Amino acid sequence: MNVTDLSAHTSQVRQRTVRAADLIETSLTAAAAPSARHAFMAVDAEGSRQAAAAADRALLEGRDAGVLCGLAVSIKDLFDVQGQPTRAGSTWLGADQPARADAPAVARLRKAGAALVGRTQMTEFAFSGVGINPHSGTPANAAMAALGRPDCVPGGSTSGGAVSVACGAAWAALGSDTGGSIRIPAALHGLVGYKNTQALTPLHGSVPLAPSMDTVCAVTRSVRDAVLLHQVLAQRRVALAGRTLSNLRLGWIRNHFLDGLDAEVAQAFEASLGTLAAAGVQLKELRVDALAELPALTEQGGITAAEAWAWHAPHLAAHGHEYDPRVLGRIRRGASISAEQLAALHQRRRAWITRMEAALADVDLVLSPTVPLIAPAMAPLLASDDEFFRVNALLLRNPAVVNLLDGCAITLPCHTQSQPPVGLMLWAPGGRDDLLLDAAGAVEAALQPQRGA
């Protein structure tokens, strides 16, 4: 278990062995360090100090400080925070229109005692898994930089959020996941990223990408922190049954998910399967023929592009020239999908979900690499559209299946400490969130010796 996570520090704050005010100063120092360059669109030092001081004061007076106890949580630039503009990584949205109220997800974090340390950088309008933002700067991958490779992409679209957690500026990061936007940057940084069943968390007060698949969730440092943040964001209690690994049936799928893996990813995934098998997990290779239907479901960008086009089309006459051309190109693909075609896609998706659920019925959860590659260097992706879109498609390939399934998923680090970060994804059809989180805690513990942590 990660003793440097949020849960460990909230415990220390409650026991008054450390002050939230001191911890927030550490977070603010990290937010100003070179490793966090471009991670934040804005840092709210005054507001976060006030929240930390309020938590310390509440505990001193014997009152509830909230489950987050004045510790730093970052907010993706997709969410409304009262009095602040919500730009969604763009140059024009919300510039003269500060939010009138917190988004429900933000309000729930604030009520739970979070110190909202700042707004984090993101791919413009959350439409890329790479994390590059040409307008206001792209944060470098903090985990890769620590390994001597300072020029790698952070993953997206919750790029700044993952960097904020990896570099110590926040204990958790509020973000969104439409096709992997939480899990991709978490995997590329060796963090935990949990995408819950979509309906469990509120979307209101965030800029949409594809409302049918957008999911509000968080990047954390551990599974227990993922449980804690989900309970805050979903306003529900997670039931952890404490199932042992020997009582888990985990499937894995060769086709699609294991195609073209980087050597480091293949090695870490195979080692993880071996570790779990030795711990008593029942592993079963699955053949899932329904995966062959993915091209038909995603042609011309599918539901995501069509729904993105519906939201952005009214803005393009005035602001189209201000968009990142790579984002705009993906949005424009949705223009060719008529309302009738979109309705047919939704119907086809529902039928596909039914077939997928049947194919996965013999296992509790499925294991796969979160993404098939380690974080690539940024420069080639800045220089070449072809290379950018090739890498973007690879990063989205595995996690996007779960969004299309309306499922739940979590990525856990499975690499050794000296290796580039690799994510192991556990996933399932929607509604199995508590089982997923319960199993993830057991898998996380089993992987610790493998990781040398």
Side-chain angles (χ1 to χ4, degrees), residues 180-437:
S181 288
I182 281 285
R183 289 162 289 153
I184 294 167
L188 296 185
H189 279 89
L191 298 168
V192 174
Y194 167 53
K195 178 243 179 285
N196 51 266
T197 302
Q198 186 200 36
L200 294 178
T201 47
L203 289 170
H204 181 69
S206 62
V207 178
L209 174 56
S212 295
M213 284 180 276
D214 296 342
T215 306
V216 174
C217 43
V219 176
T220 60
R221 296 186 177 195
S222 65
V223 173
R224 65 179 181 176
D225 283 0
V227 172
L228 177 60
L229 267 291
H230 177 66
Q231 290 184 151
V232 170
L233 294 172
Q235 290 189 332
R236 73 181 194 95
R237 188 73 180 173
V238 174
L240 298 176
R243 290 178 64 172
T244 62
L245 290 173
S246 60
N247 289 324
L248 281 176
R249 300 168 303 159
L250 302 183
W252 61 281
I253 303 169
R254 189 180 303 275
N255 58 308
H256 185 84
F257 290 97
L258 302 189
D259 293 343
L261 302 183
D262 278 0
E264 296 92 337
V265 177
Q267 179 183 6
F269 183 69
E270 288 296 327
S272 297
L273 291 183
T275 296
L276 294 175
V281 172
Q282 302 169 54
L283 294 175
K284 180 177 181 180
E285 182 176 358
L286 302 174
R287 179 178 177 85
V288 183
D289 294 333
L291 290 170
E293 300 173 45
L294 288 172
L297 285 164
T298 57
E299 187 178 3
Q300 289 300 309
I303 293 170
T304 298
E307 293 186 350
W309 171 256
W311 192 88
H312 286 277
H315 302 290
L316 293 182
H319 299 287
H321 65 286
E322 299 177 70
Y323 280 63
D324 174 356
R326 290 169 170 173
V327 169
L328 182 59
R330 297 186 75 202
I331 290 170
R332 288 194 184 280
R333 294 179 73 191
S336 64
I337 301 175
S338 68
E340 293 77 13
Q341 289 171 319
L342 179 57
L345 278 173
H346 281 297
Q347 184 176 4
R348 182 179 294 176
R349 179 194 179 198
R350 289 190 293 270
W352 180 81
I353 290 173
T354 299
R355 287 190 287 277
M356 284 290 292
E357 289 174 342
L360 305 178
D362 289 339
V363 297
D364 297 312
L365 305 166
V366 184
L367 292 167
S368 69
T370 307
V371 293
L373 65 165
I374 62 171
M378 195 179 310
L381 309 189
L382 293 172
S384 167
D385 283 353
D386 288 344
E387 184 64 5
F388 174 89
F389 286 115
R390 183 189 73 83
V391 168
N392 186 60
L394 281 173
L395 289 170
L396 292 166
R397 187 192 73 193
N398 289 2
V401 172
V402 181
N403 299 83
L404 197 60
L405 183 63
D406 193 20
C408 50
I410 192 166
T411 180
L412 309 175
C414 65
H415 58 288
T416 64
Q417 295 300 305
S418 61
Q419 292 177 325
V422 174
L424 176 70
M425 186 166 66
L426 284 74
W427 55 278
R432 299 189 192 178
D433 295 78
D434 290 7
L435 170 60
L436 173 70
L437 290 169

Side-chain angles (χ1 to χ4, degrees), residues 38-39 76 120-123 130-133 138-139 154-164 181 185 189:
H38 297 312
K76 188 176 185 177
T120 54
Q121 180 62 288
M122 57 180 285
T123 304
V130 176
I132 290 173
N133 187 306
T138 301
S157 63
T158 312
S159 54
V163 173
S164 75
S181 288
H189 279 89

